[in-house]
């Protein structure tokens, strides 16, 4: 698995980012026994070490925090800590209800496992390997920018609330693998049987910690916000490309502050009125 994270935009209350997952296996990932799944853990921490956003955590019994009852739907965009992205195959019984008992498995309710490169819905074997659930309508699941199938990727968007935090932030995305999540055996352990009890004892004694497959992290500088001026103020900016000049025309007395991309104040002018040509005199970048 490859995992790439990029920042799209940042506003006063939201960080917009994207996570691209690329399947390097020659089959679906995860594959094999239907309990196996991959999930994402997303965290956003500010420069003072405060947690701004996090999801995909697990409790002391290895249940995922905020995972939906039954099963979690496929997400195209993560907007809250309750949106946990899980790549898995989910079985349904003959009545369409979630089940983890193999003998009751009648159809698939969800299959958004990452497909291999070259995977196509027109292949003759698609009926036994098909994608199911909301991933079918995801324009960024196994589709390139032109809508062609077969890139073996999923592009997930993150619209993470920052709650007005304007400090520098670190975004980290981790992909974890679980072979047998506890929710998958809950239905089995409800039965009384010596074989089931023996397996339950072995299961509880095993190390069930999710396995880290891949992680990606990036840092961004503090947010510098500029309040939009009312149209009646008469303020206009003209950036002269190449000569590092800003032309400013205003009917009111204003101050001008110029910040670099990392949030550093690089120039400041006070008491500007009328037409002004401000030379930046900055080095490249």
């Amino acid at each position: 698995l490859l995992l790439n994270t990029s920042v799209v935009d940042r506003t006063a209350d939201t960080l917009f980012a994207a996570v691209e997952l690329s399947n390097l296996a020659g089959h679906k990932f995860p594959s094999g026994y239907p309990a196996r799944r991959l999930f994402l853990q997303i965290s956003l921490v500010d420069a003072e070490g405060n947690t701004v956003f996090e999801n995909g955590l697990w409790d002391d019994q290895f249940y995922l925090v905020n995972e939906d009852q039954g099963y979690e739907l496929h997400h195209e965009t993560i907007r809250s800590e309750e949106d946990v992205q899980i790549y898995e195959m989910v079985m349904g019984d003959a009545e369409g209800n979630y089940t983890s008992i193999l003998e009751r498995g009648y159809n698939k309710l969800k299959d958004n496992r990452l497909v291999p490169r070259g995977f196509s819905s027109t292949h003759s074997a698609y009926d036994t390997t098909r994608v199911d659930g909301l991933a079918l309508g995801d324009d960024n699941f196994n589709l390139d920018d032109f809508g062609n199938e077969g890139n073996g990727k999923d592009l997930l968007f993150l619209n993470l609330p920052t709650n007005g935090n304007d400090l520098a932030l670190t975004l980290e995305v981790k992909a974890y693998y679980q072979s047998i999540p506890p929710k998958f055996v809950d239905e089995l352990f409800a039965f009384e049987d010596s074989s089931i009890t023996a397996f339950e004892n072995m299961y509880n004694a095993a190390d069930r910690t999710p396995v880290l497959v891949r992680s990606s992290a990036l840092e961004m500088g503090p947010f510098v916000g500029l309040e939009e001026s009312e149209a009646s103020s008469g303020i206009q900016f003209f950036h002269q490309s190449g000569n590092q000049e800003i032309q400013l025309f205003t009917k009111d007395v204003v101050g001008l502050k110029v910040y670099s991309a990392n949030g550093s104040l690089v120039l400041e002018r006070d008491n500007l009125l009328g037409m002004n040509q401000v030379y930046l005199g900055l080095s490249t970048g």
Side-chain angles (χ1 to χ4, degrees):
L1 178 71
L2 291 182
L3 192 66
N4 293 307
T5 307
S6 59
V7 171
V8 178
D9 194 11
R10 183 178 179 183
T11 63
D13 59 3
T14 307
L15 174 70
F16 298 91
V19 180
E20 183 182 72
L21 299 95
S22 303
N23 182 8
L24 300 181
H27 49 72
K28 286 191 176 185
F29 181 63
S31 188
Y33 194 74
R36 300 172 181 174
R37 66 183 188 175
L38 183 79
F39 66 90
L40 298 184
Q41 184 180 94
I42 302 167
S43 65
L44 197 60
V45 179
D46 69 19
E48 297 179 351
N50 302 308
T51 298
V52 179
F53 179 96
E54 61 181 355
N55 77 354
L57 305 178
W58 58 83
D59 62 19
D60 57 357
Q61 296 299 311
F62 305 103
Y63 290 92
L64 291 186
V65 178
N66 291 324
E67 181 180 356
D68 286 349
Q69 190 73 22
Y71 68 98
E72 184 88 15
L73 297 175
H74 173 80
H75 296 286
E76 296 184 42
T77 304
I78 302 297
R79 294 184 172 89
S80 78
E81 295 185 348
E82 296 184 357
D83 298 337
V84 183
Q85 183 72 320
I86 306 174
Y87 297 93
E88 61 184 344
M89 190 273 272
V90 176
M91 297 185 297
D93 61 20
E95 297 178 347
N97 300 314
Y98 166 81
T99 183
S100 60
I101 303 298
L102 297 183
E103 289 182 335
R104 295 180 177 177
Y106 175 75
N107 209 339
K108 290 193 295 182
L109 302 177
K110 172 189 177 184
D111 190 349
N112 69 335
R113 293 174 295 167
L114 297 171
V115 299
R117 187 174 181 179
F119 185 89
S120 172
S121 61
T122 61
H123 193 277
S124 59
Y126 182 71
D127 61 331
T128 60
T129 61
R130 69 183 187 272
V131 175
D132 279 288
L134 295 183
L136 277 172
D138 187 344
D139 292 337
N140 297 293
F141 188 87
N142 194 40
L143 297 173
D144 63 19
D145 294 337
F146 303 99
N148 300 313
E149 289 184 305
N151 65 4
K153 299 179 180 182
D154 182 35
L155 183 62
L156 176 68
F157 294 101
L158 311 179
N159 295 0
L160 308 183
T162 59
N163 303 313
N165 190 313
D166 59 1
L167 299 176
L169 298 174
T170 298
L171 171 65
E172 186 170 24
V173 180
K174 297 180 179 179
Y176 283 97
Y177 169 80
Q178 278 183 307
S179 58
I180 304 183
K183 65 174 292 183
F184 195 87
V185 292
D186 283 345
E187 192 175 359
L188 175 66
F189 292 164
F191 291 91
E192 295 289 338
D193 178 86
S194 59
S195 298
I196 293 175
T197 300
F199 173 67
E200 184 175 4
N201 291 335
M202 289 188 289
Y203 178 82
N204 290 331
D207 182 3
R208 291 173 283 146
T209 307
V211 178
L212 179 64
V213 178
R214 188 74 71 177
S215 65
S216 176
L218 54 85
E219 298 180 357
M220 64 218 75
F223 173 74
V224 180
L226 298 175
E227 293 184 359
E228 294 184 5
S229 304
E230 295 292 336
S232 60
S233 69
I235 297 177
Q236 299 179 60
F237 292 94
F238 303 94
H239 174 231
Q240 302 298 310
S241 178
N243 59 10
Q244 295 195 358
E245 277 189 353
I246 293 179
Q247 292 187 17
L248 180 145
F249 172 74
T250 174
K251 298 177 183 178
D252 306 306
V253 177
V254 300
L256 173 68
K257 293 182 179 181
V258 179
Y259 294 86
S260 67
N262 65 8
S264 301
L265 179 65
V266 295
L267 184 143
E268 185 172 7
R269 294 286 185 273
D270 295 321
N271 300 318
L272 298 176
L273 177 63
M275 179 68 74
N276 293 271
Q277 288 182 310
V278 181
Y279 178 66
L280 301 181
L282 303 175
S283 60
T284 301

